[in-house]
Amino acid sequence: MMKRTKIVAGNWKMNLLPNEAFSLIDAILPNSNGNTKVVFGVPAPYLFEASAKCINSSAEVAAQNCHELDKGAFTGELSPALIQACSAKYVILGHSERRSIYGESDSLIAKKMVAAWRNSLIPILCVGETLEERNSGSLFEVISTQLSILKDFLPFTSPFVIAYEPVWAIGTGVTATPDQAVEMHKFIRTELNKLSPGSGDSVSILYGGSVKASNAAELFSFDDIDGGLVGGASLEAAEFNAIISAMENTF
Ligand code: PGA
């Protein structure tokens, strides 16, 4: 089996002023040259400088969203070509906040995936169910639908990462239990393998939703969990460094 990349990615969302942002990166970079791929999901104004800071390390920078076109009259939008020109490597797509607050549909997210690949970016595709969907038993159907956009991209020739982020765990302090996370990661691998045999074993699947220093080691101890997409806990150097170390300790 191909060895999957282990990734600890921060999703800063709309937080941190420039001095906070860059000193956070400075405090994490010394911890980012191990086996774990460290990714900083920064607000758009920091893409260029954050990427410059990471140039001599193996850390990478991610944008938190992108437009589905490379340029044009779209006031306020962020083009994947610009993200690439700023030397960022990843782009988070389909985050539940984009889906629920900005009404992003699966078909729009699919177009953004294509746009990301066209610009040599690696999409981190977020999927996740709400508490209502989990409680009603439709969680697997929901995730399967969110993943179904991938069938337009067969055979998979461009890299991507999946982040399983149960909506009820995002920013709530409530983390999915390892059993819940592993169950869904296994399901996602099965779905991927149905689409393209073997892909389920090679695509990195991150868990997201209240990952913190105190639960990272347990979550990362499961082979099916290839890392984390970390919101709140990525804003503090000590927390994020401890999460990176939790992954490093699995090697
Ligand atoms: P959280 O956010 O770690 O603060 O729950 C995760 C995310 O939204 O990606």
Side-chain angles (χ1 to χ4, degrees), residues 156 160 189 191-204:
F156 298 140
F160 63 95
R189 291 196 196 288
E191 291 291 286
L192 290 173
N193 278 330
K194 274 194 227 157
L195 290 170
S196 175
S199 63
D201 304 315
S202 59
V203 171
S204 298

Side-chain angles (χ1 to χ4, degrees), residues 224-243:
D224 275 307
I225 300 181
D226 299 311
L229 181 56
V230 186
S234 72
L235 301 174
E236 286 169 43
E239 274 285 308
F240 198 58
N241 271 328
I243 296 168

Side-chain angles (χ1 to χ4, degrees), residues 4 50 52 102 124 137 144 158 179 191 201 218 227:
R4 295 188 293 269
Y102 301 100
I124 301 174
S144 177
S158 304
D179 280 357
E191 291 291 286
D201 304 315
E218 189 181 13

